[in-house]
Amino acid sequence: MPEHTSTETSPAKKSLKQDLFDHPDFYSLDDLFTEEHKLIRSSMRDFVKREISPYVEDWAQRAYFPYDMVRKFGEIGAFGPTIPVAYGGGGLDYISYGLIMQEIERGDSGMRSTASVQGSLVMYPIYKFGSEAQRKKYLPKLASGEWLGCFGLTEPDHGSNPSGMVTNFKDMGDHYELNGAKMWISNSPRADVAVVWAKDESGRIHGLIVERGMPGFSTPETHGKWSLRASTTGELVFDNVQVPKENLLPGKSGLGAPMMCLDSARYGIAWGAVGAAMDCYDSARRYAAERIQFGKPIASFQLIQKKLAEMLTEITKAQLINWRIGTLMNEGKATTPQISMAKRNNVQIALDIAREARQIHGGMGITGEYPLMRHMMNLESVLTYEGTQDIHLLILGNKITGIPAFV
Ligand code: TGC
Ligand code: FAD
């Protein structure tokens, strides 16, 4: 607690309800969760409180990726929760997956990136489009955290428009030869395997599993980020890499294959962003109750109450979106535009809440004593990756009008 913050118990603090601190659940969404959902949430919450929250500010300040979290995430079941148990996954539903992402991102968006890339962007395509041999070889090691994976779609000249990618492979008879480069790849500098999207000689997109150690494959780290500083980001460079033919994902080709992975990851982000928003709201509510100005806790001023009321309203609306999109995911009915709406809305409200919460903390809000600036800077990346806010608007615009406005 900062020295200039009053430690007296103010009337506002006395009236605060603990449940709204620990888990803002204004519309009693807990009534809709099963006992298993609540157990998963509380065990992830305890894990994050123990293993991430006490250290993450220091990791972020030092731009340090805590690699030992990979094994810990594996042990707690954060990797591939929806993948069947037979392949090392959790065999859980999509609400459980969402709750796991929510609790991890309550700690830090970069830590959630590590987990959601591994589950939705590496394990999911191997499970969905991989051969049985590929599933058996890779999934259990990825689930346990023995191996870390990454997903290479974005290129230096093709971000929002992945169909323009130039990374390509040629059939050399007994193997494929892969050339090109990917940029902005989460986990890449420490990844053991990369799911890479590249064009064949006819220009059709396929997924290939590239392993660290293959000659010509390198993963330079990207330095100087002001965002997601506890997550490691880098490039993937392919210089005549010989990829065994059995490493091609046989189940699906075309842009639709990576887009299906993005549906799953964007869904997880919609939940994760609400976790970050909850953490900012919790901090703002506590601070407002404790901070005395003009002889009163600032929580007693109408303008502060307006900010808190709007935060709780937006969190509640985002929670309701997540609940419904989660049930649609469980039924296999969620559409890409529905997922876009959830991802776009929830990341935007989380960023707005981080900024408002920072204001409530006054000058203290810019320090590492509170999580606000870290969440705010992280959410700037979350706003951009997995499709920018404007790309998600255009996906919705296409759905509404039937007219694609991307070009
Ligand atoms: P478009 O013409 O719309 O579609 C091309 C083909 O793909 C099919 N398709 C899908 N299939 C299944 N599921 C989906 N969700 C699909 N979306 C598209 C589509 O049916 C079509 O198939 P076919 O057979 O007719 O050819 O494609 P487009 O080139 O116009 O692009 C559309 C656009 C702009 C919406 C899309 O490309 C897009 O979403 N761009 C944003 C790129 C993006 O999100 N990149 C994310 C990179 S990964 C990342 O950021 C990880 S961050 C991880 C972390 O740290 O958490
Ligand atoms: P651009 O596509 O160049 O966009 C620049 C601006 O132009 C944006 O505002 C965009 O909305 C706008 N724009 C583009 N096209 C249109 C249009 N048609 N109409 C209107 N506006 C448009 N990628 C991966 O493949 N794997 C990863 O693991 C991964 N991790 C990432 C981690 C971080 C920290 C970051 C920052 C990015 C990561 N990405 C990853 C890349 C991410 O998906 C891209 O940054 C994102 O898709 C946007 O691409 P771009 O940065 O090239 O921006």
Side-chain angles (χ1 to χ4, degrees), residues 347-395:
V347 177
Q348 189 65 59
I349 67 105
L351 183 55
D352 294 344
I353 286 169
R355 287 177 177 155
E356 291 289 75
R358 207 291 300 153
Q359 287 202 57
I360 288 176
H361 287 70
M364 288 309 293
I366 72 156
T367 71
E369 296 231 17
Y370 295 94
L372 312 159
M373 285 294 284
R374 182 170 46 77
H375 281 309
M376 192 193 304
M377 293 194 299
N378 283 343
L379 288 162
E380 288 289 343
S381 285
V382 183
L383 207 70
T384 288
Y385 66 35
E386 306 265 7
T388 66
Q389 295 300 79
D390 285 345
I391 287 296
H392 290 296
L393 275 184
L394 294 176
I395 291 172

Side-chain angles (χ1 to χ4, degrees), residues 9-156:
T9 306
S10 68
K13 189 176 178 189
K14 275 185 201 151
S15 73
L16 292 174
K17 286 199 179 132
Q18 193 62 31
D19 60 334
L20 283 178
F21 266 159
D22 282 349
H23 177 68
D25 183 19
F26 199 62
Y27 271 22
S28 304
L29 274 164
D30 267 18
D31 294 351
L32 301 172
F33 295 136
T34 63
E35 288 309 310
E36 188 184 39
H37 290 146
K38 288 187 252 187
L39 189 64
I40 288 165
R41 183 182 62 199
S42 66
S43 57
M44 276 316 294
R45 182 101 201 264
D46 291 346
F47 173 83
V48 169
K49 274 185 179 168
R50 192 176 62 246
E51 301 287 349
I52 296 178
S53 299
Y55 313 108
V56 69
E57 193 61 43
D58 175 56
W59 298 335
Q61 295 269 358
R62 290 191 287 123
Y64 169 75
F65 173 61
Y67 182 76
D68 62 344
M69 283 304 302
V70 176
R71 275 287 190 175
K72 291 179 182 174
F73 275 143
E75 281 160 19
I76 191 85
F79 290 152
T82 61
I83 300 291
V85 175
Y87 300 108
L92 299 171
D93 71 353
Y94 274 92
I95 300 281
S96 306
Y97 176 50
L99 287 167
I100 291 170
M101 295 302 115
Q102 173 186 292
E103 293 311 316
I104 298 176
E105 195 150 354
R106 197 195 281 257
D108 188 74
S109 305
M111 290 291 96
R112 194 269 307 136
S113 268
T114 303
S116 61
V117 166
Q118 183 94 333
S120 284
L121 297 180
V122 182
M123 296 175 69
Y124 174 89
I126 293 173
Y127 172 65
K128 204 80 184 167
F129 316 131
S131 65
E132 194 54 27
Q134 288 168 342
R135 290 171 169 187
K136 285 188 174 140
K137 176 174 177 186
Y138 296 104
L139 292 178
K141 287 192 165 72
L142 289 162
S144 67
E146 188 178 334
W147 283 352
L148 182 65
C150 67
F151 174 89
L153 181 65
T154 305
E155 299 188 351

Side-chain angles (χ1 to χ4, degrees), residues 167-182:
T167 298
N168 65 88
F169 63 96
K170 290 194 177 101
D171 189 337
M172 306 301 281
D174 62 341
H175 66 272
Y176 299 120
E177 188 177 273
L178 179 64
N179 280 289
K182 300 287 177 180

